[in-house]
Amino acid sequence: MEILRVFNNNVVLARGDGGDEVILTGRGLGFQARPGQPVDTAKVVRVFRPDDGRDPDHLGELLAGIAPEYVQLVVAALTDAGLEGRAAQSPTLVIALADHVSFAVRRQRLGLAIDYPLVGEVTHLYAQEYREASALLAAVNARLVEPLPDGEAVALTLHLVNAGFTTGDLSHTYTMTGVIQQMVAVIEQTYGFTLNPGSVGLGRFITHVRYLFVRIHQHQQLDEGHSTIGQAIRDVHPEALRCAERLAAVMELRLGAALTDDEISYLTLHVARVASEQRVP
C-alpha cells in the first residue's frame, strides 16, 4: 500500500492493494511519512474503506479530529451490543458514532445538556434501531467515568438509521423522519383513525417507505411501466390508491422527486394493509 495523504501522526489516506483509497489508523503511522512512501503495515490497527462513494478525504479529516480512544471505545461497544455486523457493513458508521460520542462527552464535561425533540418520532418510527441504540449507549457508558444521559440513545438511533443511506449527511435522516411522520398523519386523516404505533402493518409501511427513500436517493425507483400486478392493486383498493396518491404528492413536495406508477401501487398495497389491520375488531 502507498501513502496518498497524511492527516496526522495516526491517520493516513492510502491506496489499497486493490487500487481503492482507504483510510488507515495506527499509532505513529503518519509520523514523518510522506505521500508516495509505502505504508508501514506493522503499524496499521484499523482500515476504513469509504462506502457508497463517500469522500475519503473528508472522512479522513473527520477521523483525524477524533481521539483514537473514542474509536476504540465505539468499536468495543458495538461488539458488546451485538452490532459488530453493522460496523462491518458500514465502516463510516464507526467514524460517525465515534465523532458523536467524543463530542457528547465534551459537552457533558462543560455542563451543556441537549434535549432531543425527536424522541417520540424516533421511538415510534425506528423501534428496532432505538433498541439497538439503547444497548449501544449502555455499552458505551460502561466504559465512561461519567455516563452519557439516556437521551443520547435518540441521536445514536439516527446514526444507525442514517447508515442505510448513500451519504454521510444526517440531514437526510432528519428529513425522512419528518416525511414519514407526515405520511402517517395523512393516512390517519384519510381513514379517520389513530394508528397503533406497535401494529405490524404500520411497521411494514414504515420499512417500505425507508427503502423507498433509499431508492429515490439512488434514482432507482421501481418502474416496470404499468405492470399488471400494479394495476391489479389499484383496481382492488381504490380508497387506498387515493390515499397513496396524496402520500406521493407529499414526497414529491418534500423531496423534489415524483413517484413512478409502480411505487404508488406498492404504497397503495401497504396503505390498504394498514387500514385493513386497523379495522379488524
Side-chain angles (χ1 to χ4, degrees):
M1 289 190 288
E2 177 186 358
I3 293 176
L4 299 177
R5 181 179 176 185
V6 178
F7 293 103
N8 61 24
N9 286 343
N10 305 314
V11 182
V12 303
L13 178 68
R15 189 172 305 285
D17 295 332
D20 55 332
E21 293 186 356
V22 295
I23 303 165
L24 307 176
T25 67
R27 191 168 298 280
L29 188 60
F31 180 67
Q32 294 186 339
R34 296 288 184 274
Q37 292 179 344
V39 173
D40 185 350
T41 55
K43 294 181 179 179
V44 176
V45 173
R46 194 160 283 109
V47 179
F48 293 93
R49 287 182 169 81
D51 46 4
D52 298 318
R54 297 178 187 179
D55 181 15
D57 278 287
H58 172 72
L59 289 174
E61 289 177 351
L62 179 61
L63 185 58
I66 305 171
E69 56 265 29
Y70 287 110
V71 177
Q72 297 168 5
L73 184 154
V74 164
V75 169
L78 283 166
T79 299
D80 287 352
L83 301 175
E84 60 270 21
R86 279 195 175 261
Q89 291 173 0
S90 178
T92 51
L93 173 63
V94 175
I95 299 175
L97 290 173
D99 181 58
H100 178 84
V101 170
S102 65
F103 187 64
V105 169
R106 199 177 316 130
R107 276 193 282 104
Q108 179 156 277
R109 289 173 179 170
L110 294 173
L112 302 175
I114 286 186
D115 291 326
Y116 291 100
L118 292 176
V119 60
E121 289 85 347
V122 166
T123 55
H124 178 190
L125 301 178
Y126 313 126
Q128 176 61 34
E129 284 87 353
Y130 185 74
R131 287 192 292 270
E132 293 174 344
S134 297
L136 177 59
L137 179 61
V140 166
N141 281 341
R143 289 172 167 77
L144 294 176
V145 176
E146 298 180 36
L148 298 176
D150 293 343
E152 291 297 332
V154 173
L156 297 182
T157 299
L158 293 173
H159 280 292
L160 293 177
V161 172
N162 192 59
F165 288 95
T166 58
T167 173
D169 187 355
L170 201 60
S171 66
H172 288 275
T173 300
Y174 282 108
T175 299
M176 180 177 70
T177 302
V179 172
I180 293 177
Q181 197 72 3
Q182 187 174 355
M183 293 173 77
V184 170
V186 167
I187 295 174
E188 292 179 331
Q189 292 166 4
T190 299
Y191 288 94
F193 51 57
T194 300
L195 293 172
N196 176 7
S199 71
V200 174
L202 181 57
R204 288 173 176 168
F205 171 79
I206 292 171
T207 298
H208 175 78
V209 173
R210 288 172 59 179
Y211 282 110
L212 173 56
F213 242 79
V214 174
R215 290 195 295 276
I216 291 173
H217 190 72
Q218 296 177 340
H219 306 289
Q220 295 178 352
Q221 288 191 53
L222 302 176
D223 191 6
E224 298 178 9
H226 302 288
S227 64
T228 302
I229 187 171
Q231 189 58 52
I233 292 171
R234 290 165 175 258
D235 292 342
V236 172
H237 304 291
E239 186 178 14
L241 172 59
R242 289 191 292 272
C243 182
E245 288 173 339
R246 291 182 64 193
L247 299 180
V250 169
M251 297 196 80
E252 182 174 3
L253 183 65
R254 296 290 299 273
L255 305 178
L259 297 191
T260 64
D261 287 343
D262 280 329
E263 293 290 5
I264 293 175
S265 294
Y266 285 112
L267 266 181
T268 299
L269 181 60
H270 281 281
V271 170
R273 285 175 173 172
V274 169
S276 175
E277 181 183 84
Q278 190 73 24
R279 286 168 174 161
V280 173

